[in-house]
């Protein structure tokens, strides 16, 4: 929604796990960003990505502003 701002932050030590999970070569963060946009750049993508991180026990932080 345009009335909300939210983000999820995965810290540096967790990025290899995210890359592995999404079948991205570790260190290819451009490819990672493209994959995230492709798979999670939609209306329910934020919630879906957080659920995936939680399910895989990958540490993350969130921010919400309304």
């Amino acid at each position: 929604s345009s009335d909300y701002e939210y983000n999820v932050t995965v810290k540096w030590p967790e990025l290899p796990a995210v890359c592995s999970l999404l079948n991205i070569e570790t260190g290819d963060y451009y490819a990672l960003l493209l994959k995230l946009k492709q798979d999670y750049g939609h209306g329910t993508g934020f919630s879906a990505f957080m659920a995936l991180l939680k399910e895989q026990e990958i540490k993350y932080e969130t921010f919400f502003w309304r």
Side-chain angles (χ1 to χ4, degrees):
S1 169
S2 62
D3 295 339
Y4 295 88
E5 182 177 325
Y6 41 87
N7 65 48
V8 61
T9 301
V10 177
K11 294 194 176 184
W12 191 260
E14 299 291 327
L15 285 179
V18 175
C19 287
S20 178
L21 181 63
L22 299 176
N23 297 314
I24 302 293
E25 182 179 336
T26 299
D28 190 352
Y29 299 118
Y30 181 74
L32 175 61
L33 291 174
L34 289 176
K35 179 74 170 166
L36 290 172
K37 180 179 178 182
Q38 174 188 333
D39 292 357
Y40 300 99
H42 53 77
T44 60
F46 180 77
S47 297
F49 186 58
M50 281 192 352
L52 178 69
L53 294 173
K54 185 174 184 176
E55 175 184 297
Q56 296 298 314
E57 298 181 356
I58 296 173
K59 296 176 188 173
Y60 64 93
E61 297 174 3
T62 57
F63 169 80
F64 299 92
W65 180 80
R66 184 181 126 148

